[in-house]
Amino acid sequence: MARQSSLFVCQSCGSPQTKWVGRCPACETWNSLVEETHDSSPLTRSKKASKRTALPTEDLQSSTLSPPRFQCTLSEFDRVCGGGLVQGSVILIGGDPGVGKSTLLLQVAALLSKKHPTLYVSGEEAIDQVRLRAHRLGLKDTPLKLLSSTHIHDIITTVEQKETSYKLAIIDSIQTMYSDAIDAAPGTVSQVRLCCQELMHLAKTKGIIIVLIGHVTKEGTLAGPRVLEHMVDAVLYFEGEKGHSYRILRATKNRFGPTDEIGVFEMRTEGLQQVCNPSGFFLSERQGMMSGSAVFAGMEGTRPLLIEIQALVSPASFGTPRRAVIGWDSGRLAMILAVLETRCGLNFGTKDVYLNVAGGLKISEPAADLAVAAALMSSLTGVTLPGDAIFYGEISLTGEIRSVSNGEGRQKEAQKLGFKHAFTPREKSSALFEPERFKSESFSFLRDFVSYFHTHDTKGARYA
Ligand code: TYD
Ligand code: MG
């Protein structure tokens, strides 16, 4: 009989401890250790039993073509996967409960099932519930197969069947799956990891695409899919803000494509709709010229995205002025305020400062610095920024405006949406995009940018 051993495994990072402690020494999460009993795992057993053999190696050069990619008609999803799902790959889709992972994958699975045999395995919902949802999403006429089970070996046997020849299987969710090879509850790190290993083996040996859905919880009661991130081929996160209907699919790891692409979707009553013009979508509620509002031309992967940045500077009512930021880094806001004070002579010392990225988006690009500075300056001084202008540029501590990548792409997107001006860093190369009826004003220093707005009447003829 296999020897039983007991370990305390952190449910947040997966590190094992021999005895219980209140705080995981590896990731410093409190109260995350759970006792797990292990038989000697099948992997260790087989290692002990097998004798060592030399394995054949292969040349790097080969005449075989790269594995095929499977595309569904949701181009936003295909783009994030790097141009479609690669045969034999394992993809993990993480996200908060209720964000729409099951809905997205049901739609993707149904669309793909028209071309390839596809199985949707739900460990959370009964078949009827999945069917009802598919009907609501208008997918009832697709040849998608459904299965409701949580036993990983049954699922693998079902997928492996020769006669069905499944090319794609969705596992919703990996936290509900269990293998009876170990004596741990579903959702614990050991179960999640073992089930993932078994499914990976299936994907690599049979060339089946496996998409795993994983929940991320802040409390760490369910094993976070983070322990799986290094095992799988691609990790996508499905994000969305409460109270907003848009959802963003973002790749954080992809062995077969870039990781900086995003896909934008809108959650409607009839399911997720892809948003092919995200700039227009995020700017749709903007009301033209208002002080404290600047449009930032950002890049998400290879795609430009126009986003409104709003600032409000108001007199502080109590001793220490407040600085509140939504959608941007608060450290970076402090830096921009310091540069505006020290290098440009503006004074925010006695003011509360609020900064908001409209639409609930989060920006991490330093290229947003100039748009943030413009919005702050506009709210402080009451100068209205032109409503048809975009801003981008990175600001250094010395007060310089540094150039950023893909200025041309940003300006082209702006022009496409009817913008007429761009405020940009001074580019070194002379070949700057300068299309007709689109004017770009470039600056080397932030103080020149600030004084430009003080000397130009932005409400006047210049921008009319
Ligand atoms: P779901 O896909 O079940 O989330 P997850 O699998 O990530 O937990 O989505 C649940 C939410 O989506 C639910 O709150 C309702 C909303 N929703 C819609 O708004 N429209 C729809 O057509 C569907 C199916 C869900
Ligand atoms: Mg779900």
Short mmCIF file of all heavy atoms in Angstrom, two decimals, residues 97-98 100-103 120 122 124-125 133 172-173 213 215, ligand 2:
data_model
loop_
_atom_site.label_atom_id
_atom_site.label_comp_id
_atom_site.label_asym_id
_atom_site.label_seq_id
_atom_site.Cartn_x
_atom_site.Cartn_y
_atom_site.Cartn_z
N PRO A 97 -14.93 35.56 -10.11
CA PRO A 97 -16.22 34.88 -10.33
C PRO A 97 -17.25 35.88 -10.88
O PRO A 97 -17.31 37.02 -10.42
CB PRO A 97 -16.62 34.42 -8.93
CG PRO A 97 -15.37 34.39 -8.14
CD PRO A 97 -14.48 35.44 -8.72
N GLY A 98 -17.99 35.46 -11.86
CA GLY A 98 -19.07 36.30 -12.39
C GLY A 98 -18.63 37.28 -13.47
O GLY A 98 -19.45 38.03 -13.99
N GLY A 100 -17.63 36.55 -16.43
CA GLY A 100 -18.14 36.10 -17.74
C GLY A 100 -17.27 35.07 -18.43
O GLY A 100 -17.35 34.91 -19.65
N LYS A 101 -16.46 34.35 -17.66
CA LYS A 101 -15.57 33.34 -18.27
C LYS A 101 -16.36 32.22 -18.93
O LYS A 101 -16.09 31.86 -20.06
CB LYS A 101 -14.63 32.73 -17.19
CG LYS A 101 -13.77 33.72 -16.48
CD LYS A 101 -12.92 33.06 -15.43
CE LYS A 101 -13.70 32.48 -14.26
NZ LYS A 101 -14.48 33.44 -13.49
N SER A 102 -17.36 31.70 -18.20
CA SER A 102 -18.15 30.60 -18.76
C SER A 102 -18.88 31.06 -20.02
O SER A 102 -18.95 30.33 -21.00
CB SER A 102 -19.17 30.11 -17.75
OG SER A 102 -18.53 29.75 -16.56
N THR A 103 -19.39 32.28 -19.98
CA THR A 103 -20.12 32.80 -21.14
C THR A 103 -19.18 32.91 -22.34
O THR A 103 -19.52 32.46 -23.44
CB THR A 103 -20.69 34.20 -20.80
OG1 THR A 103 -21.39 34.10 -19.58
CG2 THR A 103 -21.61 34.70 -21.87
N TYR A 120 -17.58 20.68 -24.19
CA TYR A 120 -17.60 21.66 -23.09
C TYR A 120 -17.93 20.90 -21.82
O TYR A 120 -19.02 20.36 -21.67
CB TYR A 120 -18.65 22.73 -23.39
CG TYR A 120 -18.71 23.83 -22.36
CD1 TYR A 120 -17.98 25.00 -22.51
CD2 TYR A 120 -19.49 23.70 -21.22
CE1 TYR A 120 -18.02 26.00 -21.57
CE2 TYR A 120 -19.55 24.70 -20.26
CZ TYR A 120 -18.81 25.85 -20.46
OH TYR A 120 -18.85 26.84 -19.52
N SER A 122 -18.59 20.97 -17.91
CA SER A 122 -18.88 21.86 -16.80
C SER A 122 -18.87 21.07 -15.50
O SER A 122 -19.55 20.05 -15.37
CB SER A 122 -20.24 22.52 -16.99
OG SER A 122 -20.49 23.36 -15.88
N GLU A 124 -19.43 22.85 -12.77
CA GLU A 124 -20.14 23.77 -11.88
C GLU A 124 -21.63 23.79 -12.14
O GLU A 124 -22.41 24.01 -11.24
CB GLU A 124 -19.60 25.19 -12.07
CG GLU A 124 -18.14 25.28 -11.74
CD GLU A 124 -17.61 26.69 -11.74
OE1 GLU A 124 -18.26 27.56 -12.34
OE2 GLU A 124 -16.56 26.91 -11.14
N GLU A 125 -21.99 23.59 -13.41
CA GLU A 125 -23.40 23.70 -13.75
C GLU A 125 -23.89 22.37 -14.31
O GLU A 125 -23.12 21.61 -14.89
CB GLU A 125 -23.58 24.78 -14.82
CG GLU A 125 -23.40 26.17 -14.28
CD GLU A 125 -23.12 27.18 -15.39
OE1 GLU A 125 -21.98 27.31 -15.79
OE2 GLU A 125 -24.08 27.82 -15.83
N ARG A 133 -28.31 28.41 -21.04
CA ARG A 133 -27.47 29.57 -21.33
C ARG A 133 -27.13 29.63 -22.83
O ARG A 133 -27.20 30.68 -23.45
CB ARG A 133 -26.17 29.47 -20.51
CG ARG A 133 -25.32 30.71 -20.63
CD ARG A 133 -23.93 30.47 -20.12
NE ARG A 133 -23.88 30.14 -18.71
CZ ARG A 133 -23.15 30.79 -17.82
NH1 ARG A 133 -22.44 31.81 -18.19
NH2 ARG A 133 -23.12 30.40 -16.57
N ASP A 172 -14.51 23.67 -17.27
CA ASP A 172 -15.06 24.77 -16.48
C ASP A 172 -15.49 24.22 -15.12
O ASP A 172 -16.52 23.59 -15.02
CB ASP A 172 -16.25 25.37 -17.25
CG ASP A 172 -16.84 26.59 -16.57
OD1 ASP A 172 -16.25 27.04 -15.58
OD2 ASP A 172 -17.89 27.08 -17.03
N SER A 173 -14.80 24.41 -14.06
CA SER A 173 -13.52 25.07 -13.95
C SER A 173 -12.51 24.08 -13.36
O SER A 173 -12.94 23.06 -12.81
CB SER A 173 -13.66 26.26 -13.01
OG SER A 173 -13.95 25.76 -11.71
N ILE A 213 -10.62 26.84 -17.24
CA ILE A 213 -11.13 28.07 -16.62
C ILE A 213 -10.73 28.03 -15.16
O ILE A 213 -10.83 26.98 -14.51
CB ILE A 213 -12.66 28.14 -16.77
CG1 ILE A 213 -13.02 28.24 -18.26
CG2 ILE A 213 -13.23 29.32 -16.00
CD1 ILE A 213 -14.49 28.36 -18.56
N HIS A 215 -10.77 30.24 -11.30
CA HIS A 215 -11.25 31.41 -10.54
C HIS A 215 -10.09 32.01 -9.78
O HIS A 215 -9.23 31.31 -9.30
CB HIS A 215 -12.29 31.01 -9.50
CG HIS A 215 -13.54 30.49 -10.11
ND1 HIS A 215 -14.37 31.28 -10.85
CD2 HIS A 215 -14.09 29.27 -10.08
CE1 HIS A 215 -15.39 30.55 -11.25
NE2 HIS A 215 -15.24 29.33 -10.81
MG MG B 2 -18.49 30.09 -14.59
#
